[in-house]
Amino acid sequence: MPQFLSNTQEYIYYRYIDTLGGLRRSVGHVSWAELSGCLGDLGTFLPLVVALTQEVGLDLGTTLLFTGVYNIVTGLMFDIPMPVQPMKTIAAVALSGDGLTIPQIMAAGIFVSACVLVLGAAGLMGIATRLTPPPVIRGMQLGVGLALSQKGFKYVWYRDGASSEGMNSVWGLSGIFVGMFFIIFILLSVYNTRDANSDEVSRPTEGGASQQQRVVDQENGGEERGEGSVPVSVTVKEDTKVSVVTETDFPSSSMASQSPGDITLVSSSNWMGNGTAYGALSKIRELSEKYLLHPLYVCGDKAGQACGEAKYDVQLQKTGCCGIPPSSGRHIPAALIILVVGIILSICFNPSIVNGLSMGPSKPDVIVPNGEEWKSGILRAGLPQLPLTTLNSVISVTQLANEWFPDRYSKPGSVATSVGLMNLVGCWFGAMPSCHGAGGLAAQVRFGARWGTAPVILGVIKIFLGLLFGSSLLTLLQEFPLSMLGAMLVFSGIELASVAKGQKGERGMAIMLLTAAIGLATGNISIGVAVGLACAYIVALWDHLLMLASAQRWPIFTR
């Protein structure tokens, strides 16, 4: 590396190298499994986007272009199958009775994204993750997963996916028979091997590595303790020289003599400089962690331990509670086959849809909501969406990603920043407000994705279609059989709900099921999470009182 670069320039240099590394890995992992996996989340994406385009006037071409860029950027940033999904609460409000206009939708998306970005930049997402016991997170995932599966089966069983429309016809392109046929097809193609060992976790690693070490800073907080040190996986070859320096010695002159494969580890998370201003900020941060954050983290650990979980630092060093679906040599790209068959059947049953396609991209319009549109969009859709984005699009997806891919650690702050930035750009041009989600991650993993290659491929496909057909693609997508999308959505939800199998202990199981049940009963997962959190901390307080009573040898606790 050039020796004349400043500390800030060196940081930019290494980020550039990381991006190039992500691009090389994406190219290196191109496969049928990744191609199939990238399509696994279409059961959520297509119905919402098509409905918003038809009912509200969403620009499909612009949405495809911007979400395609989002897919590529997140795939390169996180190197996992990080999904990009429409914000569901905003979409639901927009499609309900009074509905929302396009400016109101964009106002809601910008509001939610700005809030999430601020929370992530301030480190509050990491703190929230640390204070949420795992049984509550798994309960949220279980509830959302079951709700997705229920929604998917409604696409199969009812007309237009709504029970009020009556039972679907048995035959026909979107009939019950087609939906059940593809449910069985997915069952036999995706779950095509017996589990030789239910505890086995299949995790891909870089080729050529002979040793993998997980480095966890237990003395400093980590991002979950306020943007401190972060658990990382380091894959080290046998002939690699590893050296450790302090932040004040970095960058050191000895780095100039390093071999290309050598590694230098910095003992602090921030090596941008050590001037007076930075020293003052470090001191403030040290005091805040010691006197403010540490007591909060102790409470979080106590709540987790009361539910049968280990301390947070110990959890970080464990493997995931639930294994990734193993990739077998008999993997069949089910999602890819369903998409191709669905398009062919749609054209065969209604050839006139081809005439509705026109060449050329859509022309995006700059959308600036007025005061009334800001107010209506934020109050009616933005505020209800914010808890779901915080819980499912940041906390839940981060926890699930780190269980499945601990060697590619995802920070809550980084995921929050990703959600915030992509909408603060796209919403001004009419792109559907988007976020990440645990359900989409589970869907892509279940259908074969393991790397950031999957979202990169999907992003390229979206951009290609958006530039080639623009909004005219709606004529084809609205004819795609809902029952086939429903079959995919059923198993996407099942995969997300299956994380519940990792829950241990009676208390933890009870709180997880209580969280899921209340979320399903009320139709609002935020209420379930609130009740689950309250129960977890009440149990922790009860245990603490019992411990104090036993220590004081109160008569009721002594014989």
Side-chain angles (χ1 to χ4, degrees), residues 22 25-26 29 34 37-38 70-84 204 324 394 396-411 415 436-438 440-442 444-445 448-457:
R25 287 190 295 271
S26 296
H29 291 105
E34 295 294 321
C38 80
Y70 302 160
N71 280 122
I72 293 174
V73 173
T74 54
L76 295 178
M77 279 182 57
F78 299 105
D79 202 21
I80 62 174
M82 184 68 75
V84 174
I324 301 175
V394 179
S396 180
V397 75
T398 302
Q399 189 259 4
L400 186 62
N402 292 333
E403 284 187 352
W404 281 349
F405 307 102
D407 56 328
R408 285 162 276 163
Y409 188 81
S410 299
K411 296 162 57 177
V415 176
H436 305 305
L441 175 62
Q444 295 191 76
V445 168
R450 297 294 183 273
W451 297 91
T453 307
V456 170
I457 293 174

Side-chain angles (χ1 to χ4, degrees), residues 125-147:
M125 283 297 183
I127 297 174
T129 302
R130 181 68 188 270
L131 296 179
T132 307
V136 177
I137 298 178
R138 294 187 189 119
M140 174 172 57
Q141 293 166 344
L142 175 62
V144 172
L146 292 176

